[in-house]
Amino acid sequence: MKAVLGLEDGTFVVGDGFGVEGRCSGELVFTTQMTGYMEALTDPSYAGQILMFTYPLIGNYGVDLQNFESPRVQAAGCVVREIARVPASRPPVAEYFEENALLGISGVDTRSLTIKTRTCGTLRASLIVGGEDGNEAVRLARSAPPITGTDLIERVSCTAPYTISGPGKRIALIDLGVKRHIIESLRYRGAEIHVFPHNAAADDLMAAEPDALFISNGPGDPKRAAGAIRCVGELAGELPIIGICMGIQVAALALGAETYKMKFGHRGTNQPVRYRDGKIYITTQNHGFAVDEESLPEGCTVSYRNVNDGTVEGFENSDLSITCVQFHPEAHGGPRDTEMHFFDRIYREIP
């Protein structure tokens, strides 16, 4: 079965399709991770995007449901150089894609596509599985809406509140597309977690009598998270606020700062960040937007910075008890360098 990937700049590549016949559109983004492919594909932050792996062989240990960060694959499509047909364990990725009506393409030059993305910036793309009409794929890519104009958070947020019991501190979590292991990291420390939809009102959150507010990761443009931005603005100074990934962007916007779309973002399990004490940590990341440092209001200090490009990877406001990071300290996949460093500290500091 043939497949074709088309980009809005007119480029298209033909390869071998896996999964089922169909078509999808979205931003083409790349991740540099060598392992953790199912964690990436099931990360809700990839909703609405076509995910390309730079590592040349994907799927060599099959599909394990324990690795999922949400109940299903969230990426619109998957692009790989080579898909492992006989993995160490079953089922193979290609078989899982077929059984779950997912779309993928292999046998394409992911290196050249990655270089193009780094040079031109993130491009809209379209994947057609079961065909090889490059002109049609390009047309579909050009007609795809930009990610800034798409409400992706609603697709991945829970639709009703729920509670995860625990003997410890009570945390209200706004679900913008939360990864499973963020919740697991909080559960491990004994937290009682009250999870709310993205559009929950501040009064609803406070009715749970939380000790802290947690803003999760999520897909797309943080400015689309209007409900969460409003909640943080209303509750800042009332209780500690913690954010991860989109959570840092939401907190910044609520304080009057700005965010911007990055040229091609940070996605992978090998992103170095420097903490304010000079120590460097290797982190898992998945974001295409960042906080504009110059726009941060007085009282906010940058706590982490990306070693590669100097962008903001964390900020704090001690007066308002706000602690946020752009990277994923819970990892999964990726190194756990910052799991204890971050979660132990923020949990300990919740009164």
Side-chain angles (χ1 to χ4, degrees), residues 26-339:
E27 282 191 337
L28 177 67
V29 297
F30 67 87
T31 178
T32 57
Q33 62 200 82
M34 298 170 64
T35 60
Y37 47 85
M38 290 312 300
E39 288 93 331
L41 287 164
T42 57
D43 181 348
S45 294
Y46 280 117
Q49 295 177 316
I50 297 174
L51 178 57
M52 176 171 62
F53 291 88
T54 62
Y55 191 68
L57 177 63
I58 295 299
N60 55 340
Y61 52 87
V63 175
D64 186 345
L65 297 181
Q66 295 183 71
N67 294 333
F68 281 33
E69 287 301 317
S70 68
R72 60 184 178 84
V73 168
Q74 302 286 352
C78 179
V79 182
V80 300
R81 176 67 184 89
E82 181 181 352
I83 192 77
R85 299 292 177 178
V86 186
S89 59
R90 299 189 64 83
V93 170
E95 181 179 306
Y96 180 85
F97 266 52
E98 183 176 2
E99 291 174 350
N100 290 274
L102 302 169
L103 306 178
I105 184 173
S106 65
V108 297
D109 187 349
T110 52
R111 181 183 294 272
S112 67
L113 289 169
T114 301
I115 292 172
K116 175 179 284 291
T117 302
R118 287 180 57 89
T119 303
C120 302
T122 302
L123 297 170
R124 290 173 295 166
S126 178
L127 173 60
I128 300 175
V129 180
E132 48 187 311
D133 186 342
N135 292 326
E136 173 67 1
V138 169
R139 185 190 69 78
L140 291 173
R142 289 172 173 168
S143 64
I147 199 167
T148 51
T150 306
D151 190 353
L152 298 169
I153 296 169
E154 188 174 5
R155 299 184 192 177
V156 296
S157 174
C158 62
T159 56
Y162 63 94
T163 300
I164 300 170
S165 299
K169 298 170 183 178
R170 188 174 298 171
I171 295 175
L173 185 149
I174 298 180
D175 176 13
L176 305 177
V178 65
K179 287 177 63 181
R180 179 171 67 90
H181 274 93
I182 289 178
I183 290 178
E184 290 300 318
S185 288
L186 294 172
R187 285 185 63 191
Y188 177 77
R189 288 157 178 85
E192 177 178 295
I193 309 164
H194 295 257
V195 184
F196 292 88
H198 68 99
N199 55 0
D203 288 346
D204 296 331
L205 273 63
M206 293 304 288
E209 300 181 344
D211 299 309
L213 173 63
F214 197 106
I215 315 298
S216 83
N217 63 293
D221 188 343
K223 292 176 182 175
R224 308 288 295 191
I229 294 169
R230 184 170 56 251
C231 279
V232 173
E234 293 177 10
L235 299 178
E238 298 294 320
L239 74 170
I241 295 175
I242 304 149
I244 286 179
C245 198
M246 182 174 277
I248 188 177
Q249 300 158 11
V250 165
L253 290 166
L255 296 178
E258 291 295 327
T259 58
Y260 62 94
K261 194 174 190 302
M262 305 172 77
K263 186 175 181 180
F264 50 82
H266 297 157
R267 298 176 181 88
T269 58
N270 52 0
Q271 289 282 339
V273 301
R274 180 178 284 109
Y275 190 46
R276 60 189 169 203
D277 64 2
K279 187 172 183 179
I280 292 176
Y281 296 90
I282 304 301
T283 66
T284 294
Q285 299 196 17
N286 173 15
H287 61 274
F289 291 80
V291 173
D292 177 8
E293 181 177 356
E294 297 301 318
S295 70
L296 283 170
E298 185 177 352
C300 294
T301 58
V302 174
S303 52
Y304 297 88
R305 194 179 298 279
N306 191 282
V307 174
N308 291 331
D309 61 12
T311 52
V312 174
E313 292 284 0
F315 80 82
E316 298 178 4
N317 186 310
S318 57
D319 294 334
L320 298 175
S321 297
I322 295 176
T323 304
C324 299
V325 292
Q326 183 65 77
F327 56 89
H328 282 270
E330 82 289 347
H332 287 274
R336 295 171 57 82
D337 293 30
T338 55
E339 202 278 342

